[in-house]
Amino acid sequence: MAQALSLARLALGQVSPNPAVGAVVVKDDTIVGQGYTRPPGDAHAEVVALRQAGEAARGAALYVTLEPCCHFGRTPPCSRAIITAGIGEVHFAMTDPNPVVAGGGQRELQTQGIRTYTGEHESEARQLNEAYIKHITTRMPFVTVKFAASLDGKIATRSGDSRWISGVESRRYAHHLRYVSDAVMVGANTVLSDDPQLTVRCCGGKGGTVKKQPLRVIVDGKGRTPVTARVFQQPGKTLLVLGRPATPEERSAFNAASAELLELPLGEGQVDLKELFRVLGSRGITSVLVEGGGTLLGSLFDAALVDKVVAFIAPVIIGGEKAVTAVAGDGAAKIADSIQLKNMRVEQMGQDVVVSGYVGEQICLPA
């Protein structure tokens, strides 16, 4: 199962809104076939592994990170392929929370005399597909907040300079987070101060080529983002979300820049963030990486819309009352009301320390 999980990680960033799944066929203690989920419309992990195994699959054991599907979608059900291949037993790490599966795959296999086992490495499997789990059960994307800050919690100096607080290793990992996310989101202040590209510039496949760029989402309540910003000149799609109606001139200019405009006013130049995530979820966006700035992050925390936090803490002190903090918004009035991260992980990355954890219910843990 550990090998199946390793294979599943290779599918992250390329198969959404499908889950990233890995499968291994074992016969006489030897791996005879293995594979991972291909992009939507192509073969699932089980089918890839069974094709590689061929006749050796008959009587073998199949290890897969998610319960095999039993319904027709873009591809035929994997349960049928497993039965046809003559597999003797199936081990899967977790039940598929998709309502059209949810134990159905296991039942179909059992009715055909195939032994099934579940629960091995379940926590790891759930964490790997935490975005899929949330989206398939709520139709909302999994929201991860990422920021790089100094030891005193600053993400920029009083002049707005922020390059670079974190080290090379941390920035490389940040690109990995973009790579495995369906969308990358920032606020208008970040675009105005940093003029970022918001693209993945590493973590590609063979030859270093990045097959997919995440959707770039700019949250701009007052409509201050210039059409000349670098974000509109990059490969991939950009969505500009306004908190007020767009003017005809803006529509024409952003249309010429191949950018989509979305109006979601909440009032007083603010964007309805909850509705924004509903819209993204309805479009098949399962995961959103929010990279700042402090105003947007504060609004998301205040609205209880954050699922996970990844914080890069650099060994520097910036200081200054006017230096920019990582999270603004209203915040907690009392320490007892502050957000406590759960299932935390702390690791060193170069000279930085990376702290990650979950807010609220932990999707990655067994239900």
Side-chain angles (χ1 to χ4, degrees):
M1 190 64 76
Q3 173 66 4
L5 284 165
S6 180
L7 289 166
R9 293 186 183 96
L10 297 176
L12 285 173
Q14 298 298 324
V15 300
S16 183
N18 292 337
V21 179
V24 176
V25 181
V26 178
K27 190 169 188 178
D28 299 328
D29 296 324
T30 301
I31 293 177
V32 295
Q34 56 185 342
Y36 55 89
T37 309
R38 301 308 185 190
D42 206 337
H44 289 188
E46 299 96 318
V47 173
V48 176
L50 290 171
R51 285 174 181 171
Q52 188 178 106
E55 282 302 313
R58 195 158 299 278
L62 172 68
Y63 292 82
V64 61
T65 56
L66 183 69
E67 176 188 10
C69 65
C70 55
H71 66 290
F72 282 89
R74 295 184 182 181
T75 59
C78 292
S79 56
R80 302 271 182 94
I82 293 169
I83 294 167
T84 301
I87 288 290
E89 61 185 55
V90 176
H91 303 248
F92 57 93
M94 60 172 285
T95 300
D96 191 341
N98 187 341
V100 301
V101 182
Q106 181 179 26
R107 288 191 295 272
E108 183 173 351
L109 295 174
Q110 290 174 337
T111 59
Q112 296 298 316
I114 298 174
R115 299 182 299 277
T116 61
Y117 306 89
T118 184
E120 185 180 350
H121 290 282
E122 182 177 359
S123 292
E124 295 98 315
R126 292 182 69 86
Q127 185 173 25
L128 189 140
N129 274 310
E130 57 196 10
Y132 166 76
I133 295 171
K134 182 181 180 184
H135 184 258
I136 204 67
T137 55
T138 68
R139 312 313 300 178
M140 295 281 277
F142 186 89
V143 180
T144 299
V145 159
K146 184 272 291 184
F147 59 85
S150 61
L151 281 174
D152 53 339
K154 310 296 185 180
I155 60 173
T157 67
R158 65 176 184 272
S159 68
D161 179 41
S162 61
R163 295 186 180 180
W164 296 103
I165 291 178
S166 58
V168 174
E169 295 87 348
S170 295
R171 297 200 298 275
R172 187 179 296 116
Y173 181 61
H175 276 278
H176 167 74
L177 293 177
R178 288 182 182 178
Y179 178 77
V180 299
S181 300
D182 291 343
V184 176
M185 180 182 293
V186 297
N189 287 337
T190 296
V191 175
L192 292 172
S193 60
D194 296 342
D195 197 17
Q197 298 177 65
L198 300 182
T199 55
V200 177
R201 297 187 290 281
C202 67
C203 312
K206 292 182 179 179
T209 301
V210 177
K211 298 178 182 178
K212 178 215 72 164
Q213 290 292 344
L215 172 69
R216 297 179 291 272
V217 182
I218 303 169
V219 180
D220 187 356
K222 298 178 181 178
R224 297 175 296 145
T225 302
V227 73
T228 55
R230 288 199 302 169
V231 69
F232 300 114
Q233 303 165 19
Q234 310 305 317
K237 298 180 180 180
T238 303
L239 176 65
L240 178 60
V241 188
L242 300 177
R244 59 164 177 76
T247 65
E249 293 77 16
E250 286 174 328
R251 290 191 177 281
S252 176
F254 285 107
N255 181 64
S258 299
E260 180 186 356
L261 291 181
L262 177 63
E263 300 167 9
L264 293 176
L266 183 61
E268 298 182 0
Q270 291 184 319
V271 169
D272 188 336
L273 294 172
K274 191 170 186 178
E275 180 61 24
L276 170 56
F277 288 124
R278 287 198 190 99
V279 171
L280 293 175
S282 70
R283 296 185 180 189
I285 299 295
T286 68
S287 55
V288 179
L289 177 67
V290 187
E291 297 195 359
T295 299
L296 176 59
L297 266 56
S299 297
L300 291 173
F301 279 113
D302 288 343
L305 293 173
V306 178
D307 294 299
K308 187 176 184 179
V309 175
V310 179
F312 298 88
I313 310 301
V316 297
I317 302 293
I318 292 177
E321 293 181 358
K322 296 182 179 180
V324 186
T325 58
V327 181
D330 293 332
K334 299 180 180 178
I335 294 297
D337 299 328
S338 61
I339 296 170
Q340 303 288 325
L341 295 186
K342 302 167 184 172
N343 197 24
M344 281 182 51
R345 180 178 178 181
V346 179
E347 58 185 315
Q348 188 165 350
M349 195 165 292
Q351 290 189 329
D352 303 331
V353 173
V354 184
V355 179
S356 60
Y358 295 84
V359 179
E361 185 179 352
Q362 300 170 64
I363 292 174
C364 68
L365 294 182

